[in-house]
Amino acid sequence: MLTQDRQEAFLYEQVVAKMTRLISEGIMRPGERIPSVRRLSRQERISVSTVLQAYFLLESQGLIEARPQSGFYVRARALRLPPEPKITNPPMVAKKVDVSDLVFGMIEAIHEPGLVPLGAACVSSELFPNHRLIRTLASAARRAGADANTYPAPAGLPELRRQIARRALVWGGELTAEDIIISCGCTEALNLCLRAVARPGDIIAVESPTYYVLLQIIESLGMKALEIPTDSRAGICLNGLERALEKHPVKACLVMPNFHNPLGSCMPDEKKKKLVSLLARREVPVIEDDIYGDLSFAPERPRTLKAFDRKGLVLLCSSFSKTLAPGYRVGWIAPGRFKTQVERLKTVNTLGTPVVMQMMLADFLQSGGYDHYLRRIRKACATHVQLMTRAVGQYFPDGTKITRPEGGLVLWVEMPPHVDALELHRRALESHISIAPGPMFSASQSYRNCIRLNCGCLWSERVEGAIRALGQMAAQMRPLL
């Protein structure tokens, strides 16, 4: 019997397939109104949210369009989305990292009031279950009493670790509470893991482009980054990584296989298995950042590299910051054979993670509240990515390319070669719009004609207007003669 999630996804796909067929066969003609959301809900005996999800996808594909106070209509002329970017081709040279000035400048701008927040990859706070989290936190604080004001154990609260270990079954892993260490967010988790497996001067292989915070951590630890070609759909290129391993003394590999930031790629299971095997043969540890793994647009969450780890060389890092509670700063690590080193580093780094926050999250996970909430936030993120994709396709200049994420919060936009992302960033800030320019995501500061857009903010006329303005700014930049 299908689970409720699978049933909803199957019905949603059925609606899309049916409407696509009716339009392609001319049964529903350009300009004609299609059934209202409530009418189709009654006809097909499905939920309104399922119909809405299907209509949003059809709209993002350019097959239908919404008309204010009128409903949905077959689009007179189908909107063709821009092509996807090709496999990246970074200079495969180990480099000292120097991105902090650029990153801190962008982060400072993000916190200015009144900005349209397209720069930082985060879900709008209005989408979080804030009232329930506050009630759960208050209950946990009352139950803890004086124990809430004691030094926490470095490894973390046993009950939270047990709840996280139970969730490992969802992504194909087998963990116990003893395998897990609680951290202060995923940033600390990644920092501790890098320190456990490498030293200053060591070479760390990373995807290209890669999340700028990973580059900042490598920079702060005095290590070098070696950028590896990466596919916008399937993740890091194994042939490129193998060549790098043969040529350079790579000490560790740092990757984000599930809904990569900034590309949104999701590595297929067979490729994950090959990646783990490739590194295991050379005894090279792999640090896996799985912070977006729970934000799949599909009914099932993707597996992690850790699910294929047989030698304890995968150090899995994640947190609840992107999915549920960024302000609570609770993450976790499954460091495999490096558990002792990571736990000792955690002790001298922050000693422990606040007890009450851990208790609250343990309660929220145990009650089933997290799974219930995830079903809602996944749909919201999928819809926002679709709307952002459509808007970029409509407003950005010819020659623009965009990725096709299947989960997560971000969209990677490759503009024509003459468009300078740093200049676009500067002009956007003057118009109170924040974006993340491409050079932030590269140790060699490549991708000067690329930007990353946050799709976690609530869609509105203001957000769409910001995308329109960005497209106009990009179109005004002319090639140098």
Side-chain angles (χ1 to χ4, degrees):
M1 186 173 180
L2 290 173
T3 64
Q4 182 178 352
D5 276 354
R6 288 187 178 182
Q7 286 174 335
E8 287 182 3
F10 181 64
L11 293 171
Y12 150 76
E13 292 166 356
Q14 279 188 320
V15 173
V16 172
K18 181 178 181 179
M19 298 299 289
T20 300
R21 179 178 58 81
L22 292 173
I23 293 171
S24 64
E25 293 178 356
I27 298 171
M28 290 184 175
R29 298 180 178 180
E32 288 184 348
R33 185 178 180 180
I34 66 175
S36 70
V37 172
R38 295 193 180 278
R39 180 182 169 188
L40 192 62
S41 171
R42 291 193 300 268
Q43 286 178 351
E44 302 292 334
R45 297 183 180 180
I46 56 180
S47 69
V48 168
S49 63
T50 299
V51 178
L52 273 173
Q53 188 74 2
Y55 277 14
F56 281 140
L57 180 56
L58 289 165
E59 189 180 14
S60 73
Q61 293 174 343
L63 294 174
I64 66 174
E65 60 183 355
R67 297 181 185 176
Q69 300 179 338
S70 183
F72 288 91
Y73 290 77
V74 178
R75 196 177 181 92
R77 182 174 58 86
L79 176 65
R80 296 183 63 183
L81 295 178
E84 296 178 70
K86 296 180 180 179
I87 296 174
T88 61
N89 185 31
M92 292 176 61
V93 178
K95 293 181 67 67
K96 288 186 176 180
V97 183
D98 185 15
V99 298
S100 286
D101 288 345
L102 183 59
V103 172
F104 283 125
M106 193 273 290
I107 291 175
E108 287 177 4
I110 286 172
H111 295 287
E112 292 182 11
L115 282 181
V116 181
L118 304 180
C122 55
V123 174
S124 171
S125 59
E126 296 170 278
L127 293 173
F128 294 129
N130 295 306
H131 293 299
R132 181 166 182 180
L133 290 176
I134 290 170
R135 290 196 303 269
T136 307
L137 180 61
S139 174
R142 287 193 298 268
R143 188 170 75 252
D147 290 341
N149 200 24
T150 59
Y151 283 114
L157 192 72
E159 180 57 25
L160 177 57
R161 293 157 67 196
R162 189 175 75 84
Q163 291 297 330
I164 292 170
R166 288 182 61 185
R167 296 193 64 78
L169 298 173
V170 177
W171 47 257
E174 295 181 6
L175 297 178
T176 68
E178 293 301 312
D179 296 323
I180 294 168
I181 297 171
I182 303 301
S183 62
C184 295
C186 196
T187 300
E188 186 191 40
L190 295 162
N191 197 308
L192 295 176
C193 288
L194 267 174
R195 291 166 63 191
V197 302
R199 298 289 179 267
D202 285 341
I203 296 173
I204 310 300
V206 298
E207 295 143 317
S208 184
T210 192
Y211 180 36
Y212 56 79
V213 169
L214 305 185
L215 294 175
Q216 284 184 288
I217 296 172
I218 292 172
E219 179 182 350
S220 70
L221 297 176
M223 300 173 187
K224 298 177 181 179
L226 177 59
E227 297 181 73
I228 308 298
T230 303
D231 185 90
S232 63
R233 282 283 184 118
I236 195 167
C237 296
L238 299 188
N239 290 340
L241 178 60
E242 191 163 20
R243 290 197 304 272
L245 293 171
E246 292 170 353
K247 186 177 179 181
H248 300 275
V250 174
K251 195 67 176 180
C253 187
L254 178 52
V255 295
M256 191 181 294
N258 292 328
F259 315 128
H260 176 270
N261 180 1
L263 293 177
S265 59
C266 185
M267 188 180 294
D269 283 353
E270 189 58 33
K271 188 173 181 180
K272 289 174 183 171
K273 187 175 181 179
K274 290 179 180 178
L275 173 59
V276 172
S277 177
L278 170 65
L279 294 169
R281 288 197 301 270
R282 292 166 171 79
E283 290 288 316
V284 175
V286 54
I287 301 169
E288 178 180 15
D289 182 352
D290 191 55
I291 196 168
Y292 293 103
D294 281 341
L295 293 180
S296 171
F297 301 160
E300 294 186 0
R301 188 205 194 282
R303 292 189 170 215
T304 64
L305 296 181
K306 190 70 175 175
F308 303 101
D309 183 25
R310 301 295 177 265
K311 299 181 71 173
L313 284 167
V314 176
L315 298 87
L316 175 62
C317 303
S318 190
S319 87
F320 300 95
S321 296
K322 298 299 183 183
T323 56
L324 180 68
Y328 290 53
R329 309 308 303 140
V330 178
W332 57 272
I333 316 161
R337 68 164 74 167
F338 303 97
K339 181 174 183 291
T340 299
Q341 297 96 308
V342 170
E343 189 168 356
R344 289 176 178 176
L345 287 167
K346 168 68 179 177
T347 304
V348 300
N349 202 58
T350 53
L351 181 59
T353 304
V355 173
V356 177
M357 301 303 185
Q358 295 187 66
M359 292 180 66
M360 182 278 294
L361 282 168
D363 290 350
F364 197 75
L365 293 172
Q366 192 277 330
S367 70
Y370 185 58
D371 287 312
H372 177 76
Y373 159 75
L374 276 181
R375 288 194 287 271
R376 178 166 60 86
I377 198 66
R378 284 172 172 172
K379 290 180 180 179
C381 290
T383 298
H384 294 165
V385 167
Q386 292 159 12
L387 292 170
M388 187 74 76
T389 299
R390 183 198 65 178
V392 171
Q394 182 174 354
Y395 298 123
F396 272 58
D398 292 341
T400 296
K401 299 177 182 179
I402 51 178
T403 51
R404 305 288 194 273
E406 297 178 0
L409 302 172
V410 297
L411 193 68
W412 182 251
V413 181
E414 180 184 316
M415 299 169 293
H418 64 272
V419 178
D420 187 331
L422 294 174
E423 176 62 16
L424 182 62
H425 170 61
R426 186 190 66 78
R427 295 185 189 184
L429 285 178
E430 292 177 352
S431 298
H432 305 289
I433 304 167
S434 72
I435 58 174
M440 292 171 49
F441 300 89
S442 168
S444 56
Q445 299 197 11
S446 303
Y447 311 110
R448 297 191 70 86
N449 61 321
C450 298
I451 59 173
R452 188 200 67 184
L453 296 175
N454 171 40
C455 302
C457 50
L458 288 172
W459 191 258
S460 64
E461 290 184 5
R462 184 167 179 253
V463 172
E464 184 168 1
I467 297 298
R468 185 189 304 114
L470 288 172
Q472 292 171 349
M473 293 176 202
Q476 290 167 0
M477 295 185 185
R478 301 299 180 190
L480 294 175
L481 299 177

